[in-house]
Amino acid sequence: MERRLLSGDEAVAAAAMDGGVHLGTGYPGTPSTEILEAFSALGGRAQWAPNEKVALEVGLGAAFAGARAVVTMKHVGLNVAADPLFTAAYTGVSGALVVVAADDPGMASSQNEQDSRRYAIAAGLPMLEPADSQEAYELALAALELSQRWQLPVLLRMTTRVCHSKSIVTRQSAVAPAPVPRFARDVASRVMIPAYARPAHRRLRKKLESLEAWGETAPLAIWREGSKALGVIANGVTARHVREAAPEASLLELKLVHPLPLEKIRAFAASVERCVVIEEGDPVIADAVRAAGIPVEGKAPSFRFGELDVPRVRRILARDLSPEPEAPKGKPPQLCEACPYHPVYSTLKKLGCIVAGDIGCYTLGVLPPYEGMDTCVAMGASLGVGLGLRHVLPEEDARKVVSIIGDSTFVHTGLNGLVEMVYNPPPTGHVLVVLDNGTTAMTGQQEHPGTGRTLDHEPTAKLSIEGLARALGVANVDVVDPIADPAGFERLLAGRLSRPQLSVIVARRPCILAAADIRKYEKAAAAAGCAACPEVENV
């Protein structure tokens, strides 16, 4: 058997290969990004989608046809995919569908601290959670098998520490051949009009009851005998922390975190004098166990924030509520010195703009020296928030409002905001600046539909942002290079702010970190005589 040092993300990719996954799709988001890149490097068919909702829909379609599909995203991306996710629980699948949601406790690179286990409960879907890379590999394979067996999408919850830390992984030597995709018509199961959705909901609950009963004896809850004085129930990487912080304790490690094996938990709690639930994020397990009438102790509310580690687990077990030591302050993040966004933020500050910002590198413009962003809520929200400000502010202030968004984020969910901008224009008009640096820079320079290259950097059709804006009827559409002509960019922005019209300014300059690679890809495409990648100018 092959043994390799892999990160959790790489282990999931290896499982996708060994598990016969036909298609991997997703949207890049830390800490999940490397899964599809590693899957592609191993020879799997992987592709980036415009956003997580589309990725899930593509994966669902593949699973409807009997294929095995993996869809990856970070925790906030699960919000974007939630609409089809809930109905996919009703429709079920014919093949297998595993949705990997990577949570970011402590918000190393996220705008909120969200616990994806809530989605498993709300949607009524099984969820597995690994503690290290080996388990990431094994549970990804198990998720494929569970999805195939119960004909349900299965959620695989990863966390930052598991995604990016490395440990030895032993891969399976024998891989069962994946079934050949084949479409079988089943309208009552696949078309969720109310008449079909009502029985589908009942079928889902029956499946969950069956899963819960199976989970009581399945090898997805590991009972480690130890002290009778202390027992700990834990999940994910937290179980590793517990083994180091309290090696003498009895430990129940939960791999299936929804539905929970409550009778096994009841027996474990009854076997020890003191039973503590230690989990990263929300008290999901503690609340469910208590609701079942099982007396357990949860962590104090102060430990709900940030990642857990061995010292924090020791404090939880010791009921130590004294103030925690502050983490050493690191160097604050900032825009690269040669970033093409500098003249944009300099101009926004000079003109006194009210800036509705978005998610990406340009969010760093909120920090000194520019402090050039007034709102930042979610992917694609800069357009809607900027329009809202324009609708209600006095005219003098409304004319100062600018929405800024990156190229990848514009494709992700900014598109709908542009449609709203055209459909319900404020009396003062609006100005959208798309910061087009030719890549998804923040997550590690991934491709997107606006770059004209696929996940593995091969040429494909290219979405034109300016062509799309013109096709939608925006009155003023300009493409500028803010580095080559900063004074011209300032004149253009000031002029557009003074007009009661809709304006889109595409500030285009490659990311300084990606420029060399972009030139390399373009040269390779030109050398290959690529003629199959026209820009989508008229949408």
Side-chain angles (χ1 to χ4, degrees), residues 500-531:
Q501 297 176 329
L502 299 181
S503 300
V504 171
I505 300 174
V506 181
R508 180 167 291 149
R509 179 87 171 189
C511 166
I512 189 65
L513 300 178
D517 284 339
I518 291 173
R519 284 195 295 272
K520 182 180 70 179
Y521 303 143
E522 289 177 345
K523 283 183 180 178
C530 175

PDB file of all heavy atoms in Angstrom, residues 500-531:
ATOM      1  N   PRO A 500     -25.586  61.452 -13.553  1.00  0.00           N
ATOM      2  CA  PRO A 500     -26.663  60.608 -12.978  1.00  0.00           C
ATOM      3  C   PRO A 500     -26.949  59.399 -13.867  1.00  0.00           C
ATOM      4  O   PRO A 500     -28.082  59.175 -14.287  1.00  0.00           O
ATOM      5  CB  PRO A 500     -27.845  61.582 -12.938  1.00  0.00           C
ATOM      6  CG  PRO A 500     -27.609  62.489 -14.096  1.00  0.00           C
ATOM      7  CD  PRO A 500     -26.113  62.654 -14.222  1.00  0.00           C
ATOM      8  N   GLN A 501     -25.917  58.661 -14.188  1.00  0.00           N
ATOM      9  CA  GLN A 501     -26.038  57.514 -15.091  1.00  0.00           C
ATOM     10  C   GLN A 501     -25.332  56.302 -14.485  1.00  0.00           C
ATOM     11  O   GLN A 501     -24.571  56.427 -13.527  1.00  0.00           O
ATOM     12  CB  GLN A 501     -25.406  57.852 -16.448  1.00  0.00           C
ATOM     13  CG  GLN A 501     -26.080  58.971 -17.185  1.00  0.00           C
ATOM     14  CD  GLN A 501     -25.345  59.318 -18.476  1.00  0.00           C
ATOM     15  OE1 GLN A 501     -24.126  59.183 -18.560  1.00  0.00           O
ATOM     16  NE2 GLN A 501     -26.093  59.761 -19.481  1.00  0.00           N
ATOM     17  N   LEU A 502     -25.566  55.179 -15.105  1.00  0.00           N
ATOM     18  CA  LEU A 502     -24.869  53.963 -14.669  1.00  0.00           C
ATOM     19  C   LEU A 502     -23.528  53.857 -15.368  1.00  0.00           C
ATOM     20  O   LEU A 502     -23.436  54.042 -16.582  1.00  0.00           O
ATOM     21  CB  LEU A 502     -25.710  52.724 -14.983  1.00  0.00           C
ATOM     22  CG  LEU A 502     -27.078  52.651 -14.312  1.00  0.00           C
ATOM     23  CD1 LEU A 502     -27.777  51.351 -14.700  1.00  0.00           C
ATOM     24  CD2 LEU A 502     -26.946  52.751 -12.801  1.00  0.00           C
ATOM     25  N   SER A 503     -22.500  53.545 -14.583  1.00  0.00           N
ATOM     26  CA  SER A 503     -21.156  53.457 -15.144  1.00  0.00           C
ATOM     27  C   SER A 503     -20.440  52.231 -14.606  1.00  0.00           C
ATOM     28  O   SER A 503     -20.548  51.922 -13.413  1.00  0.00           O
ATOM     29  CB  SER A 503     -20.337  54.710 -14.789  1.00  0.00           C
ATOM     30  OG  SER A 503     -20.950  55.869 -15.289  1.00  0.00           O
ATOM     31  N   VAL A 504     -19.742  51.565 -15.493  1.00  0.00           N
ATOM     32  CA  VAL A 504     -18.864  50.465 -15.096  1.00  0.00           C
ATOM     33  C   VAL A 504     -17.456  50.782 -15.590  1.00  0.00           C
ATOM     34  O   VAL A 504     -17.252  51.053 -16.771  1.00  0.00           O
ATOM     35  CB  VAL A 504     -19.334  49.120 -15.693  1.00  0.00           C
ATOM     36  CG1 VAL A 504     -18.273  48.033 -15.440  1.00  0.00           C
ATOM     37  CG2 VAL A 504     -20.662  48.699 -15.087  1.00  0.00           C
ATOM     38  N   ILE A 505     -16.512  50.802 -14.664  1.00  0.00           N
ATOM     39  CA  ILE A 505     -15.109  51.015 -15.007  1.00  0.00           C
ATOM     40  C   ILE A 505     -14.358  49.722 -14.702  1.00  0.00           C
ATOM     41  O   ILE A 505     -14.341  49.266 -13.560  1.00  0.00           O
ATOM     42  CB  ILE A 505     -14.502  52.174 -14.200  1.00  0.00           C
ATOM     43  CG1 ILE A 505     -15.260  53.479 -14.469  1.00  0.00           C
ATOM     44  CG2 ILE A 505     -13.015  52.332 -14.532  1.00  0.00           C
ATOM     45  CD1 ILE A 505     -14.813  54.637 -13.586  1.00  0.00           C
ATOM     46  N   VAL A 506     -13.794  49.126 -15.731  1.00  0.00           N
ATOM     47  CA  VAL A 506     -12.976  47.928 -15.541  1.00  0.00           C
ATOM     48  C   VAL A 506     -11.522  48.390 -15.421  1.00  0.00           C
ATOM     49  O   VAL A 506     -10.920  48.833 -16.408  1.00  0.00           O
ATOM     50  CB  VAL A 506     -13.133  46.937 -16.706  1.00  0.00           C
ATOM     51  CG1 VAL A 506     -12.290  45.688 -16.451  1.00  0.00           C
ATOM     52  CG2 VAL A 506     -14.606  46.567 -16.888  1.00  0.00           C
ATOM     53  N   ALA A 507     -10.990  48.346 -14.198  1.00  0.00           N
ATOM     54  CA  ALA A 507      -9.598  48.744 -13.959  1.00  0.00           C
ATOM     55  C   ALA A 507      -8.743  47.489 -14.109  1.00  0.00           C
ATOM     56  O   ALA A 507      -8.679  46.660 -13.199  1.00  0.00           O
ATOM     57  CB  ALA A 507      -9.454  49.346 -12.562  1.00  0.00           C
ATOM     58  N   ARG A 508      -8.132  47.359 -15.261  1.00  0.00           N
ATOM     59  CA  ARG A 508      -7.497  46.072 -15.624  1.00  0.00           C
ATOM     60  C   ARG A 508      -5.971  46.168 -15.567  1.00  0.00           C
ATOM     61  O   ARG A 508      -5.359  47.008 -16.228  1.00  0.00           O
ATOM     62  CB  ARG A 508      -7.956  45.649 -17.015  1.00  0.00           C
ATOM     63  CG  ARG A 508      -7.361  44.324 -17.492  1.00  0.00           C
ATOM     64  CD  ARG A 508      -8.098  43.831 -18.721  1.00  0.00           C
ATOM     65  NE  ARG A 508      -9.451  43.423 -18.387  1.00  0.00           N
ATOM     66  CZ  ARG A 508     -10.493  43.506 -19.225  1.00  0.00           C
ATOM     67  NH1 ARG A 508     -10.321  44.000 -20.430  1.00  0.00           N
ATOM     68  NH2 ARG A 508     -11.695  43.107 -18.843  1.00  0.00           N
ATOM     69  N   ARG A 509      -5.379  45.321 -14.815  1.00  0.00           N
ATOM     70  CA  ARG A 509      -3.918  45.190 -14.725  1.00  0.00           C
ATOM     71  C   ARG A 509      -3.639  43.859 -14.023  1.00  0.00           C
ATOM     72  O   ARG A 509      -4.175  43.613 -12.935  1.00  0.00           O
ATOM     73  CB  ARG A 509      -3.327  46.326 -13.893  1.00  0.00           C
ATOM     74  CG  ARG A 509      -1.820  46.267 -13.730  1.00  0.00           C
ATOM     75  CD  ARG A 509      -1.128  46.960 -14.893  1.00  0.00           C
ATOM     76  NE  ARG A 509       0.299  47.096 -14.649  1.00  0.00           N
ATOM     77  CZ  ARG A 509       1.109  47.821 -15.425  1.00  0.00           C
ATOM     78  NH1 ARG A 509       0.599  48.482 -16.460  1.00  0.00           N
ATOM     79  NH2 ARG A 509       2.392  47.891 -15.185  1.00  0.00           N
ATOM     80  N   PRO A 510      -2.796  42.988 -14.608  1.00  0.00           N
ATOM     81  CA  PRO A 510      -2.585  41.672 -13.969  1.00  0.00           C
ATOM     82  C   PRO A 510      -2.022  41.782 -12.559  1.00  0.00           C
ATOM     83  O   PRO A 510      -1.225  42.673 -12.252  1.00  0.00           O
ATOM     84  CB  PRO A 510      -1.574  41.004 -14.905  1.00  0.00           C
ATOM     85  CG  PRO A 510      -1.713  41.709 -16.207  1.00  0.00           C
ATOM     86  CD  PRO A 510      -2.062  43.125 -15.864  1.00  0.00           C
ATOM     87  N   CYS A 511      -2.446  40.871 -11.718  1.00  0.00           N
ATOM     88  CA  CYS A 511      -1.878  40.734 -10.366  1.00  0.00           C
ATOM     89  C   CYS A 511      -0.358  40.575 -10.491  1.00  0.00           C
ATOM     90  O   CYS A 511       0.124  39.787 -11.309  1.00  0.00           O
ATOM     91  CB  CYS A 511      -2.495  39.512  -9.685  1.00  0.00           C
ATOM     92  SG  CYS A 511      -1.644  38.969  -8.194  1.00  0.00           S
ATOM     93  N   ILE A 512       0.374  41.316  -9.673  1.00  0.00           N
ATOM     94  CA  ILE A 512       1.825  41.287  -9.774  1.00  0.00           C
ATOM     95  C   ILE A 512       2.380  39.894  -9.483  1.00  0.00           C
ATOM     96  O   ILE A 512       3.408  39.494 -10.030  1.00  0.00           O
ATOM     97  CB  ILE A 512       2.457  42.337  -8.823  1.00  0.00           C
ATOM     98  CG1 ILE A 512       3.948  42.470  -9.081  1.00  0.00           C
ATOM     99  CG2 ILE A 512       2.177  42.001  -7.381  1.00  0.00           C
ATOM    100  CD1 ILE A 512       4.270  43.023 -10.457  1.00  0.00           C
ATOM    101  N   LEU A 513       1.684  39.144  -8.656  1.00  0.00           N
ATOM    102  CA  LEU A 513       2.150  37.800  -8.314  1.00  0.00           C
ATOM    103  C   LEU A 513       1.814  36.769  -9.390  1.00  0.00           C
ATOM    104  O   LEU A 513       2.445  35.721  -9.469  1.00  0.00           O
ATOM    105  CB  LEU A 513       1.542  37.355  -6.975  1.00  0.00           C
ATOM    106  CG  LEU A 513       1.880  38.219  -5.765  1.00  0.00           C
ATOM    107  CD1 LEU A 513       1.169  37.692  -4.519  1.00  0.00           C
ATOM    108  CD2 LEU A 513       3.386  38.255  -5.528  1.00  0.00           C
ATOM    109  N   ALA A 514       0.810  37.080 -10.203  1.00  0.00           N
ATOM    110  CA  ALA A 514       0.360  36.108 -11.216  1.00  0.00           C
ATOM    111  C   ALA A 514       0.783  36.482 -12.625  1.00  0.00           C
ATOM    112  O   ALA A 514       0.618  35.679 -13.546  1.00  0.00           O
ATOM    113  CB  ALA A 514      -1.160  35.977 -11.164  1.00  0.00           C
ATOM    114  N   ALA A 515       1.344  37.685 -12.798  1.00  0.00           N
ATOM    115  CA  ALA A 515       1.597  38.202 -14.145  1.00  0.00           C
ATOM    116  C   ALA A 515       2.494  37.270 -14.962  1.00  0.00           C
ATOM    117  O   ALA A 515       2.235  37.021 -16.153  1.00  0.00           O
ATOM    118  CB  ALA A 515       2.203  39.601 -14.058  1.00  0.00           C
ATOM    119  N   ALA A 516       3.565  36.781 -14.339  1.00  0.00           N
ATOM    120  CA  ALA A 516       4.496  35.916 -15.085  1.00  0.00           C
ATOM    121  C   ALA A 516       3.807  34.640 -15.561  1.00  0.00           C
ATOM    122  O   ALA A 516       3.979  34.219 -16.713  1.00  0.00           O
ATOM    123  CB  ALA A 516       5.699  35.581 -14.211  1.00  0.00           C
ATOM    124  N   ASP A 517       3.014  34.037 -14.684  1.00  0.00           N
ATOM    125  CA  ASP A 517       2.302  32.813 -15.075  1.00  0.00           C
ATOM    126  C   ASP A 517       1.274  33.101 -16.166  1.00  0.00           C
ATOM    127  O   ASP A 517       1.088  32.308 -17.097  1.00  0.00           O
ATOM    128  CB  ASP A 517       1.604  32.200 -13.850  1.00  0.00           C
ATOM    129  CG  ASP A 517       2.588  31.483 -12.935  1.00  0.00           C
ATOM    130  OD1 ASP A 517       3.684  31.117 -13.415  1.00  0.00           O
ATOM    131  OD2 ASP A 517       2.273  31.304 -11.750  1.00  0.00           O
ATOM    132  N   ILE A 518       0.587  34.241 -16.037  1.00  0.00           N
ATOM    133  CA  ILE A 518      -0.416  34.582 -17.050  1.00  0.00           C
ATOM    134  C   ILE A 518       0.243  34.723 -18.420  1.00  0.00           C
ATOM    135  O   ILE A 518      -0.267  34.221 -19.428  1.00  0.00           O
ATOM    136  CB  ILE A 518      -1.154  35.886 -16.653  1.00  0.00           C
ATOM    137  CG1 ILE A 518      -2.038  35.630 -15.416  1.00  0.00           C
ATOM    138  CG2 ILE A 518      -1.995  36.411 -17.807  1.00  0.00           C
ATOM    139  CD1 ILE A 518      -2.670  36.888 -14.849  1.00  0.00           C
ATOM    140  N   ARG A 519       1.405  35.402 -18.463  1.00  0.00           N
ATOM    141  CA  ARG A 519       2.122  35.531 -19.746  1.00  0.00           C
ATOM    142  C   ARG A 519       2.513  34.149 -20.275  1.00  0.00           C
ATOM    143  O   ARG A 519       2.417  33.876 -21.477  1.00  0.00           O
ATOM    144  CB  ARG A 519       3.360  36.401 -19.554  1.00  0.00           C
ATOM    145  CG  ARG A 519       3.063  37.900 -19.443  1.00  0.00           C
ATOM    146  CD  ARG A 519       4.335  38.726 -19.620  1.00  0.00           C
ATOM    147  NE  ARG A 519       5.294  38.501 -18.557  1.00  0.00           N
ATOM    148  CZ  ARG A 519       5.316  39.172 -17.405  1.00  0.00           C
ATOM    149  NH1 ARG A 519       4.414  40.121 -17.197  1.00  0.00           N
ATOM    150  NH2 ARG A 519       6.214  38.908 -16.482  1.00  0.00           N
ATOM    151  N   LYS A 520       2.951  33.278 -19.378  1.00  0.00           N
ATOM    152  CA  LYS A 520       3.341  31.928 -19.799  1.00  0.00           C
ATOM    153  C   LYS A 520       2.148  31.176 -20.399  1.00  0.00           C
ATOM    154  O   LYS A 520       2.270  30.544 -21.456  1.00  0.00           O
ATOM    155  CB  LYS A 520       3.887  31.165 -18.590  1.00  0.00           C
ATOM    156  CG  LYS A 520       4.373  29.763 -18.894  1.00  0.00           C
ATOM    157  CD  LYS A 520       4.906  29.083 -17.645  1.00  0.00           C
ATOM    158  CE  LYS A 520       3.776  28.763 -16.678  1.00  0.00           C
ATOM    159  NZ  LYS A 520       4.247  28.068 -15.456  1.00  0.00           N
ATOM    160  N   TYR A 521       0.993  31.267 -19.762  1.00  0.00           N
ATOM    161  CA  TYR A 521      -0.192  30.567 -20.275  1.00  0.00           C
ATOM    162  C   TYR A 521      -0.605  31.133 -21.630  1.00  0.00           C
ATOM    163  O   TYR A 521      -0.994  30.391 -22.538  1.00  0.00           O
ATOM    164  CB  TYR A 521      -1.361  30.688 -19.289  1.00  0.00           C
ATOM    165  CG  TYR A 521      -1.072  30.187 -17.904  1.00  0.00           C
ATOM    166  CD1 TYR A 521      -1.610  30.845 -16.794  1.00  0.00           C
ATOM    167  CD2 TYR A 521      -0.278  29.063 -17.675  1.00  0.00           C
ATOM    168  CE1 TYR A 521      -1.360  30.393 -15.509  1.00  0.00           C
ATOM    169  CE2 TYR A 521      -0.018  28.618 -16.400  1.00  0.00           C
ATOM    170  CZ  TYR A 521      -0.557  29.288 -15.317  1.00  0.00           C
ATOM    171  OH  TYR A 521      -0.302  28.847 -14.041  1.00  0.00           O
ATOM    172  N   GLU A 522      -0.530  32.471 -21.755  1.00  0.00           N
ATOM    173  CA  GLU A 522      -0.944  33.097 -23.009  1.00  0.00           C
ATOM    174  C   GLU A 522       0.003  32.722 -24.143  1.00  0.00           C
ATOM    175  O   GLU A 522      -0.422  32.490 -25.274  1.00  0.00           O
ATOM    176  CB  GLU A 522      -1.013  34.623 -22.822  1.00  0.00           C
ATOM    177  CG  GLU A 522      -2.186  35.058 -21.935  1.00  0.00           C
ATOM    178  CD  GLU A 522      -2.205  36.556 -21.682  1.00  0.00           C
ATOM    179  OE1 GLU A 522      -1.170  37.205 -21.953  1.00  0.00           O
ATOM    180  OE2 GLU A 522      -3.230  37.056 -21.200  1.00  0.00           O
ATOM    181  N   LYS A 523       1.298  32.654 -23.843  1.00  0.00           N
ATOM    182  CA  LYS A 523       2.260  32.263 -24.869  1.00  0.00           C
ATOM    183  C   LYS A 523       2.023  30.817 -25.292  1.00  0.00           C
ATOM    184  O   LYS A 523       2.099  30.482 -26.478  1.00  0.00           O
ATOM    185  CB  LYS A 523       3.690  32.420 -24.332  1.00  0.00           C
ATOM    186  CG  LYS A 523       4.180  33.861 -24.301  1.00  0.00           C
ATOM    187  CD  LYS A 523       5.624  33.930 -23.827  1.00  0.00           C
ATOM    188  CE  LYS A 523       6.128  35.372 -23.795  1.00  0.00           C
ATOM    189  NZ  LYS A 523       7.517  35.463 -23.294  1.00  0.00           N
ATOM    190  N   ALA A 524       1.748  29.961 -24.335  1.00  0.00           N
ATOM    191  CA  ALA A 524       1.492  28.551 -24.652  1.00  0.00           C
ATOM    192  C   ALA A 524       0.254  28.409 -25.523  1.00  0.00           C
ATOM    193  O   ALA A 524       0.239  27.628 -26.477  1.00  0.00           O
ATOM    194  CB  ALA A 524       1.340  27.747 -23.362  1.00  0.00           C
ATOM    195  N   ALA A 525      -0.774  29.207 -25.211  1.00  0.00           N
ATOM    196  CA  ALA A 525      -2.003  29.134 -26.012  1.00  0.00           C
ATOM    197  C   ALA A 525      -1.752  29.637 -27.420  1.00  0.00           C
ATOM    198  O   ALA A 525      -2.234  29.057 -28.404  1.00  0.00           O
ATOM    199  CB  ALA A 525      -3.099  29.960 -25.340  1.00  0.00           C
ATOM    200  N   ALA A 526      -0.946  30.729 -27.530  1.00  0.00           N
ATOM    201  CA  ALA A 526      -0.650  31.277 -28.855  1.00  0.00           C
ATOM    202  C   ALA A 526       0.182  30.295 -29.672  1.00  0.00           C
ATOM    203  O   ALA A 526      -0.048  30.113 -30.879  1.00  0.00           O
ATOM    204  CB  ALA A 526       0.089  32.600 -28.712  1.00  0.00           C
ATOM    205  N   ALA A 527       1.148  29.649 -29.003  1.00  0.00           N
ATOM    206  CA  ALA A 527       1.998  28.685 -29.707  1.00  0.00           C
ATOM    207  C   ALA A 527       1.187  27.491 -30.201  1.00  0.00           C
ATOM    208  O   ALA A 527       1.509  26.885 -31.221  1.00  0.00           O
ATOM    209  CB  ALA A 527       3.120  28.215 -28.788  1.00  0.00           C
ATOM    210  N   ALA A 528       0.144  27.169 -29.470  1.00  0.00           N
ATOM    211  CA  ALA A 528      -0.702  26.034 -29.857  1.00  0.00           C
ATOM    212  C   ALA A 528      -1.707  26.433 -30.924  1.00  0.00           C
ATOM    213  O   ALA A 528      -2.508  25.601 -31.375  1.00  0.00           O
ATOM    214  CB  ALA A 528      -1.414  25.462 -28.641  1.00  0.00           C
ATOM    215  N   GLY A 529      -1.695  27.730 -31.272  1.00  0.00           N
ATOM    216  CA  GLY A 529      -2.614  28.194 -32.299  1.00  0.00           C
ATOM    217  C   GLY A 529      -4.055  28.106 -31.875  1.00  0.00           C
ATOM    218  O   GLY A 529      -4.932  27.785 -32.670  1.00  0.00           O
ATOM    219  N   CYS A 530      -4.274  28.413 -30.603  1.00  0.00           N
ATOM    220  CA  CYS A 530      -5.628  28.265 -30.062  1.00  0.00           C
ATOM    221  C   CYS A 530      -6.587  29.229 -30.737  1.00  0.00           C
ATOM    222  O   CYS A 530      -6.379  30.431 -30.743  1.00  0.00           O
ATOM    223  CB  CYS A 530      -5.634  28.520 -28.561  1.00  0.00           C
ATOM    224  SG  CYS A 530      -7.278  28.498 -27.860  1.00  0.00           S
ATOM    225  N   ALA A 531      -7.623  28.685 -31.332  1.00  0.00           N
ATOM    226  CA  ALA A 531      -8.654  29.526 -31.952  1.00  0.00           C
ATOM    227  C   ALA A 531     -10.017  29.208 -31.383  1.00  0.00           C
ATOM    228  O   ALA A 531     -11.022  29.658 -31.881  1.00  0.00           O
ATOM    229  CB  ALA A 531      -8.663  29.291 -33.453  1.00  0.00           C
TER     230      ALA A 531
END
